[in-house]
């Protein structure tokens, strides 16, 4: 039994050393590598073609309204639409229950 307990303590010690060790700094840089620009990860999911068409139409209409100002890219526009949708999630759920 004492051998089992000693082995458990040794494994626990090794695991705690492994997980306490910091391998990357808070800037996303790994040890031993030069600094690099950190990019946002792309996430893709399937949308119905009709929904994609509506989003594209709304995107192009917005860019027409913002003639002189810098254009907004499609990814930023879609993120904004999703954020607004998530903000009003309770209303959407109530509407879908009807």
């Amino acid at each position: 039994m004492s051998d089992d307990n000693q082995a458990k303590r040794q494994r626990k010690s090794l695991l705690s050393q492994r997980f306490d060790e910091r391998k990357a700094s808070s800037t996303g840089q790994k040890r031993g590598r030069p600094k690099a620009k950190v990019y946002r990860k792309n996430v893709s999911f399937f949308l119905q073609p009709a929904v994609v068409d509506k989003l594209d139409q709304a995107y192009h209409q917005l860019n027409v309204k913002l003639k002189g100002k810098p254009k907004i890219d499609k990814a930023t526009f879609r993120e904004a639409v999703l954020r607004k949708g998530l903000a009003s999630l309770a209303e959407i759920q109530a509407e879908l229950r009807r």
Side-chain angles (χ1 to χ4, degrees):
M1 277 303 220
S2 65
D3 291 339
D4 290 339
N5 288 337
Q6 185 179 4
K8 283 181 185 178
R9 275 189 259 123
Q10 196 173 26
R11 270 186 268 136
K12 188 175 180 181
S13 170
L14 289 172
L15 283 174
S16 66
Q17 288 174 7
R18 179 178 168 201
F19 290 114
D20 287 342
E21 185 179 298
R22 299 198 104 214
K23 295 199 181 213
S25 66
S26 61
T27 60
Q29 178 185 3
K30 291 187 176 178
R31 195 171 25 149
R33 293 188 180 177
K35 286 187 177 183
K37 189 172 182 182
V38 177
Y39 292 97
R40 167 173 63 178
K41 286 190 175 186
N42 293 325
V43 177
S44 49
F45 53 91
F46 179 77
L47 294 174
Q48 295 292 332
V51 174
V52 172
D53 289 341
K54 287 181 181 181
L55 280 172
D56 287 346
Q57 283 179 339
Y59 167 73
H60 291 300
Q61 287 174 358
L62 177 68
N63 278 334
V64 167
K65 287 180 183 177
L66 301 174
K67 291 178 193 173
K69 297 180 182 176
K71 288 188 173 185
I72 299 171
D73 62 337
K74 239 183 220 187
T76 306
F77 174 75
R78 287 183 177 178
E79 282 182 13
V81 168
L82 284 171
R83 283 193 183 112
K84 284 290 187 181
L86 290 173
S88 60
L89 192 58
E91 296 169 16
I92 294 171
Q93 288 174 343
E95 186 177 312
L96 290 174
R97 287 183 192 145
R98 291 184 213 163

